[in-house]
Amino acid sequence: MTVRTRFAPSPTGYLHIGGARTALFCWLYARRHGGSFVLRVEDTDRARSTPEAVQAILDGMRWLGLEWDEGPHFQTSHYDRYREIVQRLLDAGQAYHCYCTREELDAMRADQAARGEKPRYDGRCRERSEPRPGVDPVVRFRMPREGSTVVDDRVRGRVVFENGELDDFIIARSDGSPTYNFTVVVDDADMRISHVIRGDDHLNNTPKQVNLFKALEAEVPVFAHLPMILGPDGAKLSKRHGAVSVMQYREDGFLPEAVVNYLVRLGWSHGDQEIFSREEMIRLFDIDDVNHSASAINPGKLEWLNQHYVMERAPADLVEEFVWHLRRLDVEPGSDAEWLARIVASQQPRAKTLREMAENSVFFFRAPESYDAKAAKKHLLATAEDTLAAAGDRLEKLASWEPEAIHEAVQGLADELELKLGKVAQPLRVAVSGGPVSPPIDQTLAILGRGDTLARIARAREWIAAAAASG
């Protein structure tokens, strides 16, 4: 069998992480088996589908590196095909016009509920041959009444549906527009989709679709229904749990390879391994190994993974994303890629996300307008003014503005004043960065440059003098 998988999102919002995981599993299965991955946009809900949502889905897919082999196909361009198939089913007696009004259907279901029965369409128009004046009919698919429909699901196992419990479902509305359960079958058949991998919220649609495939004399694909993703508290994932949009993860400073690694472990595992390269995922992933129970997101694990990938990347390879985050903070970083890579390298060991790295690096690009109150109270005391003055003198006279020379100057001053290194380094750190945390002081000053360093030391001394004068 030639493996052909598809990801078929509805463009009614952003690409959420449940959809992204489905896309990833479809992509991995196709890649492992040398098949094709098809992107299909199910945009028949014209009232809710927007071009912006389509673009958000495409952007999210590209950011994750899930490039598609075919598409994107848009269902709204297939309307002629859908009409053709509806008519074919009507002509074959496999579908029929239903003239029931909404009021009649509501009354029918109310009666069924009152009798303790499962509410469903009772087939009263199955054998109707005459039109009903003044009523635009829907078209219903004629489901089998006897026996059962079996779905051998690759994740859920064998699932049996009794046909007597299933509706004759609508395949075309009264205005002629096709419905979801109909369009997906026509498209999957036309696109020769071999494996339908999707969320288990679609499992109950599957018996309807299986019977429709059979009516069309099309190959029934292999189904695999993925368990849902829950929040850390075990509740259904929602906005209150934080980032549920793929691009929100980018805004929060996560790298795409970390998010992909995180998503693949939501319901799938390979022994105790946690970190997977893209190549390992393709080689090891199998839909049969997906857990059938729900998975809960773990923000701490994602941060841990992201820090791993931040450390693994060469600093120069992080510059573009680092710059993206700086600009979101209204910082214009300039075009010196080598200097930016030095900043990245200095921050890599202490940044879990690129956003955190950018926030902690703002001081490299503009002098602090104020000092952290707690840090200033501890390190910018009147006694620190002489220390900063002596440090400024030593640094100004350095022949080489490199980390090694800067370290020797700061350490030498501490030795001369009989102070611990921190008693010199911390006032310097607060003076140049505005706060108590930065990369090692020698790296920080080397990256900042001699001119900015000396100017910031002078400003801190003025601040100390002014604070002392005001009491």
Side-chain angles (χ1 to χ4, degrees), residues 110-366:
D111 288 344
Q112 291 169 333
R115 296 193 299 269
E117 299 174 3
K118 178 182 176 181
R120 63 188 182 88
Y121 182 66
D122 63 7
R124 61 183 62 182
C125 287
R126 273 174 77 104
E127 307 308 326
R128 185 187 186 107
S129 58
E130 295 297 319
R132 185 175 179 180
V135 176
D136 293 323
V138 299
V139 178
R140 291 184 182 271
F141 178 68
R142 194 185 298 273
M143 287 284 286
R145 287 282 182 87
E146 306 297 328
S148 59
T149 299
V150 177
V151 179
D152 288 313
D153 193 90
R154 293 283 290 273
V155 175
R156 298 292 298 271
R158 187 177 180 85
V159 186
V160 179
F161 298 88
E162 296 302 325
N163 291 334
E165 297 292 316
L166 302 175
D167 274 297
D168 285 352
F169 62 97
I170 296 171
I171 61 174
R173 302 179 185 91
S174 58
D175 63 359
S177 61
T179 61
Y180 165 79
N181 278 311
F182 175 70
T183 58
V184 294
V185 170
V186 174
D187 285 344
D188 285 342
D190 286 351
M191 296 175 186
R192 308 182 316 285
I193 300 302
S194 65
H195 292 73
V196 173
I197 302 170
R198 59 189 180 187
D200 63 5
D201 53 324
H202 290 291
L203 181 60
N204 287 336
N205 290 323
T206 307
K208 302 174 184 178
Q209 296 171 11
V210 166
N211 282 288
L212 189 49
F213 275 111
K214 291 177 178 177
L216 297 177
E217 298 181 348
E219 186 88 19
V220 179
V222 175
F223 289 96
H225 288 90
L226 308 176
M228 68 168 52
I229 300 174
L230 305 175
D233 56 0
K236 186 177 179 180
L237 193 62
S238 65
K239 290 182 180 179
R240 67 185 175 86
H241 292 114
V244 291
S245 159
V246 165
M247 297 313 286
Q248 181 65 48
Y249 281 109
R250 185 190 186 192
E251 292 173 14
D252 289 344
F254 293 98
L255 294 170
E257 55 263 49
V259 175
V260 167
N261 195 151
Y262 178 65
L263 289 175
V264 81
R265 287 286 287 108
L266 288 176
W268 174 82
S269 62
H270 179 73
D272 296 327
Q273 186 172 342
E274 292 288 351
I275 296 171
F276 297 85
S277 68
R278 190 71 59 114
E279 293 72 23
E280 285 178 311
M281 291 182 206
I282 292 171
R283 177 168 54 85
L284 298 172
F285 180 81
D286 196 318
I287 201 67
D288 293 326
D289 296 330
V290 172
N291 197 324
H292 68 269
S293 58
S295 301
I297 61 172
N298 183 340
K301 177 179 277 191
L302 177 56
E303 288 185 347
W304 175 79
L305 279 169
N306 199 66
Q307 191 165 35
H308 165 80
Y309 284 105
V310 167
M311 287 296 297
E312 188 181 60
R313 283 257 207 118
D317 292 341
L318 289 172
V319 166
E320 183 177 353
E321 197 72 4
F322 177 58
V323 165
W324 187 85
H325 283 281
L326 286 170
R327 288 183 171 140
R328 291 179 65 81
L329 297 171
D330 294 324
V331 173
E332 181 45 57
S335 58
D336 189 339
E338 185 176 344
W339 182 65
L340 291 167
R342 289 178 66 194
I343 297 175
V344 169
S346 74
Q347 296 283 25
Q348 275 177 298
R350 56 190 53 80
K352 292 180 180 178
T353 68
L354 269 292
R355 178 176 173 177
E356 180 185 11
M357 181 184 288
E359 290 170 346
N360 292 342
S361 301
V362 170
F363 76 87
F364 282 115
F365 302 90
R366 56 186 181 220

